[in-house]
Amino acid sequence: DQNNVMDALRADPSLRTAFRDAYRRGVAFGGTSAGTAIMSSPMIGGDGPEIREGLGLFAGVVLDQHFFYRGREPRLRETLR
């Protein structure tokens, strides 16, 4: 769950900074599901419509996942309003 990942990164600001700095230096950064969702900011949290701060690696982008399987297209549209 992306909320759990971001809570852990908020608990250790140096780790969050290290991820951002590594990305800015060109280190490859990837993830699936929650790992994808944390890359943007704003970040869609969990299964609900909650919007939270993510890592902010991609400016002007909101990442979401499992559109068809979990029917999440409406929540992404709502986030983009």
Side-chain angles (χ1 to χ4, degrees), residues 6 9 16 19-20 29 38-41 53-57:
M6 287 309 300
L9 291 175
R16 187 175 65 236
F19 276 131
R20 288 176 176 159
F29 194 100
I38 68 167
M39 292 185 213
S40 66
S41 193
E53 178 186 358
L55 283 176
L57 302 182

Side-chain angles (χ1 to χ4, degrees), residues 35-56:
T36 298
I38 68 167
M39 292 185 213
S40 66
S41 193
M43 173 190 85
I44 300 174
D47 286 325
E50 179 185 14
I51 305 301
R52 296 182 60 183
E53 178 186 358
L55 283 176

Side-chain angles (χ1 to χ4, degrees), residues 48-81:
E50 179 185 14
I51 305 301
R52 296 182 60 183
E53 178 186 358
L55 283 176
L57 302 182
F58 306 115
V61 172
V62 175
L63 298 174
D64 201 359
Q65 67 283 344
H66 311 298
F67 296 111
F68 298 111
Y69 183 72
R70 296 189 182 166
R72 290 182 170 167
E73 191 173 335
R75 82 176 188 172
L76 181 58
R77 285 187 185 154
E78 184 65 29
T79 302
L80 297 174
R81 287 183 185 208

